[in-house]
Amino acid sequence: MWESVIGLEIHVQLKTQSKIFSSASTNFGAEQNTQACAIDLGLPGVLPVLNEEAVKMAIKFGIAVGANIENNSVFARKNYFYPDLPKGYQISQYEIPIVSNGSVNIDIDKKVKKIRITRAHLEEDAGKSIHDLYENESAIDLNRAGTPLIEIVSEPDLSNAEEAVKYLKYIHSLVRYLDISDGNMQEGSFRCDANISLKKSNSSELGIRAEIKNINSFKFVEQAINYEIQRQGEILDSGKSVIQETRLFDPIRNETRSMRSKEEANDYRYFPDPDLLPVSISNSLIENIKLNMPELPNEKKERFIKQYKLTDYDTSILVLDKDLSAYYEKVLEKTSLNPKTTANWIITELLSYANKSNTGVKNYPVNFEDLASLLTYIHDGLISNKQAKIIFEKMWNNGEKPQDIIEKEGIKQISDTMEINKLVDNVIKNHYKSVEEYLAGKDKLFGFFVGEVMKESKGKANPKIVNQLLKEKLRNDK
Amino acid sequence: MEDKTLIELKTKIQNKEISSYELTKFFLNRIKKIDPKLNAFITVTENDSLKKAKKIDSEIAKGNINPLSGIPIAQKDIFCTKGIRTTCGSKMLEDFISPYDATVVEKLDKAGMIIIGKTNMDEFAMGSSNETSYFGDVKNPWNLNCVPGGSSGGSAASVAARLIPCSTGTDTGGSIRQPASLTGICGIKPTYGRVSRYGMIAFASSLDQAGIFTRTAKDCAILLSHISGYDVKDSTSSKKEVPDYYKECTKKFEKMKIGIPEEFLDGLDSKVAEVFTESINIFKSNGCEIKKISLKNSKLGVSAYQVVAPAECSSNLSRFDGVRYGFRANDVKDIDELYKKSRSQGFGDEVKRRILIGTYALSTGYYDAYYLKAQKIRTIISKEFQNAFKEVDVIIGPTAPDCAFKLGEKLNDPIAMYLSDIFTVSTNLAGLPAISIPMGFKNKLPLGLQIIGNHFDESKILSLSNHYQNLTDWHMQKPDMLGET
């Protein structure tokens, strides 16, 4: 009887060289407080200067989600005290954000669902408080303070955890396609808050919401939302009402816990930051960025389906990860195997290893050239699909080259010309009609003859010799 | 020597009639002798100044001379100075040493000037009498029982008492012009954006502007050219080219149309009105046309200012939280108590009052009624000035409603204190340049004439000031600090 209504606020760190309002580096992992300059430390008298790269990245995002790009957006101060917020306020955008009214399409149960994006605004990240370094004392690391963020706020268009995760994954994929964020969730480059409420089915009136703060993995988003839906459902079922509050997700206990109620919430006293002029963006800049947009996930998906005749399902998997789709296309360029089978190989074989070991494309122990060779061997009939799988396992685990494994493991080829000659003769004899067609100009059939010879040899014939002999014989027949 | 102008000292140094060391030593001695009566300095950098003077002397000997080489200057203690503590007149920053120089400081250093010390000021520039300073009141050199005005009281008093030929100041609602008026010297607040605010501890960012105290308009012009200009570190600084103000203001005087807002004369003190009328007559008989104008909304200025300035200050002063630098209270249980105690003990009453007012004005439910409305009034005031400048070149009036008042007289009456800025705040709200120059006396206390120009019309107001100073000698009057006369 309850329907859940979910909206996400996604915080994405932008991969600019320097911070949004200072020239300090944004590199992750440096020694504490070595990447914070006078401006990041909030020393008396310092002033922020806007990093134009961050603005361009926000524009790129806005274009990608078909949003309105504001020509004169305004930075505002969000005032609150926190030890890792050096100025006592965060520079953010409030009334006039840089990006508004966009949307993305996600696939839900084979249907396309449009998720509206209310706004995306630029802001600075805070530092980090560290509580476990010293006894009875807290430490502050301001390296992260001033790292540029865009906060992407969706409308409450998501109906359940699955949709929320799909949307989140899509945005994650998108910012990586746009090359505006590394999307690294462990390092906090991509994290989100979820607003969840329940309403009566068939009612248009929204229920009271709880906001779950700072969730930094897809799995946790799913768990937190599901926990929250159940918690609120139980409260409502018992006739009580949900309290508007901010909650934290505890992944160890798999539950959300109250952080502060509405009454305890800060009054942020937003007002336009007098240190910064409105962000003036010309239409020509927007047009210029538009002209240089990279291919977006949805565009790539359409192209893959058209160009490689892949299924919708396979394509979705390949394009979600920008690096994976690039890997796939590089393998394709080198291998003789067809796109469809190549895609199958990547999705079923390679990805099962990658997912098991949680390895990103950049760290695959098998480079695209080796995989391409392996697949070409299959294509040439040098090895069977089954043999290939065994070889691949060794390639993944030991980083060996496929030809080395084949040689070492004695997956022997028949290179005896006499023996192969016999096989070739048999194939020509048994497929006389095809030979006629071939001779009449259907050149594509050559591969078929090679395949047949390989089959006869149980994959062991040396494809080079097979090729050579077949060419000679068929030419003689001409 | 103390009566020499900046221009005269510049010539003396360049002609090698005096060394920078001698000059610096001379003013340090004067500070030693006289400042105990005035309390104009929070920090005097005797050793560093003399060291620097020696270095500059050796550079001069080698022929490396900069435009203002070897001339000492006092910096208002609101400008961050690398290696010299910058207190902003507050216990909060009593021991704060900045790791960097403010752009103004850097520019004057490049021009060859020597910092002789940091001058006293109202705490965080909040005040009109220099009585809110954690480092004690500054006395008016003309009458030690009177205030020098504020917030740049120390900078003004030190120039008036000839402890230094020139000093820097900042003006958020009149903090340069009002003390210049009360101490009988020249003080200019340039157009908002003319001078970089980088390194100037912020009070109200959209109103704050750095400026100069000297005794003559010409000296003012020289220094202003040196501190002005675009700064990549301040996004609100202007890219407009900086004229040679000295050249501009000493050109043959061209006839000007001077506007006098009738509202400035309404209920004005009769002596102030009399002195002001004399000034008008001087302009009238010396090539200027006087035109009565109306700035009927300027009376809303103080109210709008008292919302905008506290609102911005409530946010600007949040960084003083006892966490990273500055004063930190002892014996605290947790972070909330650290904030509360450090800020309660580190800030004085006037600062706290303004933080409270500003916090209130920005709060949910009050923002529209206060902050937004004040911003609208600001726009109305700006437009009114723009209309006025279609008819006149400059606008003049008394800088302050009266001469210097007694120490303690207005300290417990914030409203009366805020009204000292009645003629000065609207130019800050509109971002306009304005200068105060001496125009006479009341009860042996100086009175100032304010000349307001349109945006970036510093040349015009300096030119009119120079014209006036060529016709009068009010700026030559001198308080009798050592009982010499």
Side-chain angles (χ1 to χ4, degrees):
Chain A
M1 67 184 277
W2 303 109
E3 265 178 25
S4 48
V5 178
I6 301 160
L8 295 186
E9 290 167 19
I10 309 171
H11 297 262
V12 183
Q13 274 185 3
L14 299 176
K15 55 189 257 192
T16 51
Q17 293 291 307
S18 58
K19 294 189 176 174
I20 183 165
F21 299 120
S22 84
S23 55
S25 164
T26 50
N27 272 346
F28 181 84
E31 195 190 327
Q32 281 129 5
N33 294 311
T34 56
Q35 293 189 347
C37 68
I39 293 168
D40 308 314
L41 296 173
L43 287 187
V46 297
L47 296 170
V49 176
L50 179 61
N51 181 341
E52 281 176 26
E53 274 312 300
V55 174
K56 286 181 188 160
M57 288 180 176
I59 295 173
K60 231 171 158 183
F61 177 79
I63 293 169
V65 297
N68 170 52
I69 312 289
E70 176 60 46
N71 292 109
N72 288 291
S73 66
V74 174
F75 279 102
R77 293 185 184 177
K78 182 179 181 181
N79 295 284
Y80 63 99
F81 285 98
Y82 206 75
D84 57 29
L85 188 70
K87 297 186 293 298
Y89 58 83
Q90 177 194 30
I91 304 177
S92 180
Q93 296 192 303
Y94 187 55
E95 281 180 329
I96 311 174
I98 186 163
V99 168
S100 59
N101 292 322
S103 66
V104 293
N105 290 329
I106 56 169
D107 296 331
I108 303 291
D109 297 332
K110 291 181 182 165
K111 272 188 219 145
V112 171
K113 182 166 177 176
K114 179 171 159 181
I115 309 299
R116 291 168 300 159
I117 290 170
T118 321
R119 57 186 280 157
H121 63 251
L122 281 164
E123 62 183 25
E124 57 179 342
D125 211 340
K128 267 182 197 161
S129 296
I130 304 160
H131 301 293
D132 52 7
L133 202 61
Y134 306 106
E135 208 177 324
N136 297 323
E137 276 185 307
S138 289
I140 297 163
D141 178 9
L142 293 175
N143 279 356
R144 197 180 70 174
T147 300
L149 293 175
I150 44 169
E151 178 177 333
I152 304 159
V153 183
S154 82
E155 291 286 320
D157 288 347
L158 303 157
S159 314
N160 52 47
E162 186 203 343
E163 288 186 16
V165 171
K166 277 217 167 134
Y167 164 71
L168 192 63
K169 280 188 173 165
Y170 186 79
I171 297 292
H172 185 253
S173 163
L174 188 60
V175 295
R176 288 171 47 82
Y177 267 74
L178 295 170
D179 203 24
I180 60 174
S181 176
D182 63 21
N184 191 320
M185 297 176 92
Q186 277 98 37
E187 292 175 5
S189 307
F190 191 90
R191 51 193 202 260
C192 88
D193 305 337
N195 283 296
I196 301 156
S197 67
L198 299 187
K199 67 176 182 78
K200 279 198 178 126
S201 310
N202 308 322
S203 166
S204 60
E205 200 184 324
L206 292 176
I208 294 163
R209 69 193 163 88
E211 182 179 12
I212 323 289
K213 279 275 178 204
N214 253 327
I215 327 176
N216 67 350
S217 90
F218 296 122
K219 199 173 110 198
F220 294 163
V221 167
E222 189 181 341
Q223 289 173 346
I225 290 174
N226 284 333
Y227 176 86
E228 196 55 26
I229 291 170
Q230 198 191 339
R231 185 188 72 90
Q232 292 186 18
E234 282 165 12
I235 291 171
L236 294 172
D237 283 339
S238 70
K240 293 185 206 143
S241 40
V242 172
I243 305 166
Q244 186 178 333
E245 61 182 352
T246 305
R247 300 178 69 85
L248 271 182
F249 177 67
D250 178 348
I252 297 165
R253 296 199 191 163
N254 188 17
E255 62 179 27
T256 66
R257 277 201 302 274
S258 182
M259 193 170 132
R260 56 172 182 259
S261 70
K262 191 187 169 192
E263 286 71 30
E264 297 165 298
N266 279 310
D267 181 349
Y268 291 124
R269 293 172 283 123
Y270 281 102
F271 74 106
D273 191 332
D275 289 334
L276 291 159
L277 303 172
V279 189
S280 174
I281 297 170
S282 66
N283 288 332
S284 66
L285 175 68
I286 300 173
E287 285 313 309
N288 195 20
I289 294 176
K290 237 178 223 175
L291 286 174
N292 294 298
M293 288 290 277
E295 188 179 37
L296 299 181
N298 278 345
E299 292 164 357
K300 184 171 274 181
K301 193 174 159 187
E302 267 176 46
R303 176 168 69 83
F304 273 22
I305 290 175
K306 224 167 135 188
Q307 187 175 344
Y308 302 130
K309 312 275 181 286
L310 303 183
T311 64
D312 196 90
Y313 176 80
D314 288 354
T315 320
S316 298
I317 293 172
L318 287 177
V319 302
L320 192 63
D321 183 344
K322 181 190 176 191
D323 293 338
L324 183 66
S325 57
Y327 184 93
Y328 167 68
E329 290 206 281
K330 277 191 211 153
V331 174
L332 268 192
E333 230 172 74
K334 293 263 170 185
T335 190
S336 324
L337 198 63
N338 67 58
K340 170 79 186 138
T341 322
T342 302
N344 277 344
W345 247 87
I346 287 179
I347 291 164
T348 52
E349 284 304 309
L350 183 135
L351 275 187
S352 79
Y353 285 94
N355 292 342
K356 244 184 273 168
S357 57
N358 205 7
T359 308
V361 178
K362 292 212 163 88
N363 298 316
Y364 282 175
V366 177
N367 66 36
F368 69 90
E369 278 155 331
D370 289 343
L371 181 62
S373 314
L374 181 74
L375 299 184
T376 301
Y377 294 146
I378 301 175
H379 168 263
D380 291 348
L382 177 61
I383 52 174
S384 67
N385 208 43
K386 214 171 158 187
Q387 283 173 317
K389 284 181 186 175
I390 296 163
I391 296 167
F392 183 78
E393 188 182 358
K394 295 197 161 95
M395 288 165 69
W396 185 274
N397 291 334
N398 311 326
E400 290 172 88
K401 303 247 170 244
Q403 54 269 35
D404 294 345
I405 300 169
I406 289 169
E407 209 163 291
K408 204 168 68 187
E409 302 285 320
I411 303 172
K412 279 213 179 95
Q413 299 176 347
I414 302 162
S415 297
D416 183 319
T417 315
M418 291 287 281
E419 205 171 321
I420 296 173
N421 234 336
K422 270 186 211 157
L423 297 171
V424 169
D425 285 341
N426 276 341
V427 168
I428 289 178
K429 207 188 290 166
N430 295 340
H431 298 282
Y432 200 71
K433 267 201 175 149
S434 300
V435 172
E436 272 181 350
E437 281 173 48
Y438 174 80
L439 293 174
K442 207 171 171 189
D443 289 345
K444 274 185 184 171
L445 280 169
F446 188 78
F448 165 76
F449 299 126
V450 175
E452 286 303 307
V453 177
M454 294 307 291
K455 232 192 254 170
E456 293 261 314
S457 75
K458 301 203 171 78
K460 288 187 175 178
N462 182 330
K464 259 194 193 157
I465 300 170
V466 173
N467 267 293
Q468 190 192 327
L469 290 177
L470 263 172
K471 261 183 202 154
E472 278 170 20
K473 294 257 170 193
L474 288 169
R475 196 167 38 231
N476 291 345
D477 283 1
K478 258 184 186 174
Chain B
M1 177 70 70
E2 70 269 22
D3 291 331
K4 297 276 179 269
T5 63
L6 177 75
I7 293 170
E8 288 164 343
L9 294 175
K10 179 179 151 136
T11 317
K12 274 184 176 301
I13 292 239
Q14 304 202 334
N15 293 343
K16 296 180 183 161
E17 288 166 42
I18 190 170
S19 70
S20 172
Y21 186 84
E22 287 165 321
L23 195 61
T24 308
K25 190 83 189 168
F26 172 81
F27 283 110
L28 281 167
N29 283 339
R30 243 184 112 72
I31 292 169
K32 250 186 217 166
K33 240 184 272 174
I34 297 170
D35 197 48
K37 293 185 196 175
L38 296 176
N39 193 30
F41 282 87
I42 291 175
T43 306
V44 178
T45 51
E46 185 169 355
N47 291 341
D48 289 349
S49 312
L50 290 174
K51 229 186 267 169
K52 174 102 186 270
K54 265 189 191 164
K55 205 179 136 199
I56 286 178
D57 281 334
S58 69
E59 288 295 315
I60 293 174
K62 280 187 238 160
N64 298 331
I65 191 153
N66 287 313
L68 299 171
S69 274
I71 300 171
I73 188 168
Q75 293 281 4
K76 184 178 182 181
D77 211 11
I78 199 168
F79 291 99
C80 286
T81 41
K82 194 172 172 176
I84 308 170
R85 73 169 173 160
T86 301
T87 69
C88 222
S90 181
K91 180 183 180 184
M92 187 58 93
L93 293 176
E94 191 176 358
D95 301 313
F96 175 72
I97 294 178
S98 168
Y100 74 97
D101 273 333
T103 299
V104 165
V105 173
E106 210 177 82
K107 286 188 166 223
L108 291 174
D109 182 66
K110 274 200 187 124
M113 297 195 91
I114 295 166
I115 297 176
I116 205 161
K118 307 287 294 281
T119 59
N120 205 341
M121 56 181 284
D122 278 301
E123 186 179 10
F124 285 102
M126 296 175 199
S128 308
S129 66
N130 216 117
E131 291 169 293
T132 71
S133 170
Y134 174 67
F135 300 89
D137 305 337
V138 177
K139 316 293 191 295
N140 191 318
W142 293 90
N143 180 337
L144 298 177
N145 295 317
C146 287
V147 304
S151 66
S152 314
S155 284
S158 59
V159 172
R162 274 65 171 169
L163 304 188
I164 192 83
C166 52
S167 61
T168 56
T170 60
D171 190 316
T172 305
S175 283
I176 288 175
R177 291 158 290 156
Q178 185 253 14
S181 172
L182 269 50
T183 58
I185 59 167
C186 230
I188 190 166
K189 175 206 104 69
T191 308
Y192 184 81
R194 178 76 295 184
V195 179
S196 167
R197 291 185 295 115
Y198 190 77
M200 190 176 116
I201 299 177
F203 160 16
S205 315
S206 72
L207 302 163
D208 296 344
Q209 184 61 203
I212 293 293
F213 290 101
T214 56
R215 295 197 311 274
T216 68
K218 280 186 276 207
D219 283 359
C220 221
I222 289 186
L223 282 172
L224 185 61
S225 288
H226 281 287
I227 63 168
S228 295
Y230 174 67
D231 180 7
V232 285
K233 295 179 196 147
D234 177 2
S235 316
T236 62
S237 66
S238 169
K239 287 187 176 155
K240 228 178 154 74
E241 210 185 316
V242 181
D244 181 338
Y245 292 120
Y246 177 76
K247 222 174 178 179
E248 293 291 315
C249 89
T250 50
K251 276 204 301 220
K252 186 176 173 295
F253 182 74
E254 276 171 43
K255 186 184 165 184
M256 272 190 208
K257 222 187 234 181
I258 300 174
I260 298 174
E262 44 193 352
E263 290 79 7
F264 283 15
L265 303 172
D266 256 6
L268 191 65
D269 174 87
S270 61
K271 180 65 189 175
V272 177
E274 187 193 314
V275 169
F276 179 55
T277 310
E278 277 171 36
S279 299
I280 296 174
N281 290 335
I282 290 169
F283 286 128
K284 249 188 211 164
S285 42
N286 288 282
C288 295
E289 185 189 331
I290 303 292
K291 192 175 160 54
K292 281 250 181 312
I293 58 164
S294 173
L295 292 174
K296 60 181 192 308
N297 289 305
S298 65
K299 62 177 186 293
L300 300 172
V302 173
S303 312
Y305 174 83
Q306 286 302 341
V307 171
V308 174
E312 292 182 9
C313 104
S314 72
S315 173
N316 281 332
L317 269 59
S318 294
R319 68 188 62 200
F320 305 108
D321 56 6
V323 174
R324 296 167 313 285
Y325 52 78
F327 176 77
R328 180 191 281 190
N330 292 318
D331 302 323
V332 294
K333 288 195 309 285
D334 54 27
I335 185 71
D336 282 334
E337 211 180 80
L338 176 95
Y339 291 148
K340 281 178 192 163
K341 284 196 171 167
S342 301
R343 289 168 67 81
S344 299
Q345 295 165 22
F347 289 139
D349 286 348
E350 184 59 28
V351 171
K352 283 182 215 165
R353 181 175 8 250
R354 300 209 194 182
I355 291 174
L356 286 172
I357 293 171
T359 304
Y360 181 81
L362 290 174
S363 298
T364 308
Y366 300 100
Y367 180 86
D368 289 4
Y370 292 103
Y371 186 78
L372 215 56
K373 186 158 242 172
Q375 291 293 12
K376 281 178 188 161
I377 291 172
R378 200 172 171 174
T379 310
I380 289 169
I381 289 174
S382 291
K383 280 191 182 147
E384 202 171 67
F385 270 115
Q386 287 317 306
N387 284 332
F389 284 119
K390 281 179 196 155
E391 296 178 44
V392 296
D393 294 303
V394 295
I395 294 167
I396 66 168
T399 307
D402 211 335
C403 61
F405 46 91
K406 289 254 155 43
L407 282 154
E409 189 182 319
K410 297 184 180 177
L411 196 55
N412 296 314
D413 187 352
I415 304 287
M417 188 75 89
Y418 297 163
L419 287 175
S420 328
D421 297 334
I422 188 154
F423 298 137
T424 47
V425 288
S426 46
T427 55
N428 294 81
L429 290 169
L432 300 168
I435 191 168
S436 177
I437 55 173
M439 66 166 180
F441 287 87
K442 175 189 167 183
N443 305 334
K444 295 184 181 166
L445 286 165
L447 294 171
L449 170 73
Q450 179 175 222
I451 305 170
I452 304 168
N454 204 347
H455 290 124
F456 300 101
D457 269 354
E458 281 82 359
S459 295
K460 267 190 198 166
I461 62 174
L462 283 164
S463 167
L464 188 63
S465 301
N466 187 44
H467 185 53
Y468 182 83
Q469 293 188 334
N470 285 335
L471 299 164
T472 60
D473 65 355
W474 299 115
H475 61 290
M476 311 283 276
Q477 307 304 309
K478 175 182 177 185
D480 185 11
M481 284 310 298
L482 294 171
E484 290 156 331
T485 52

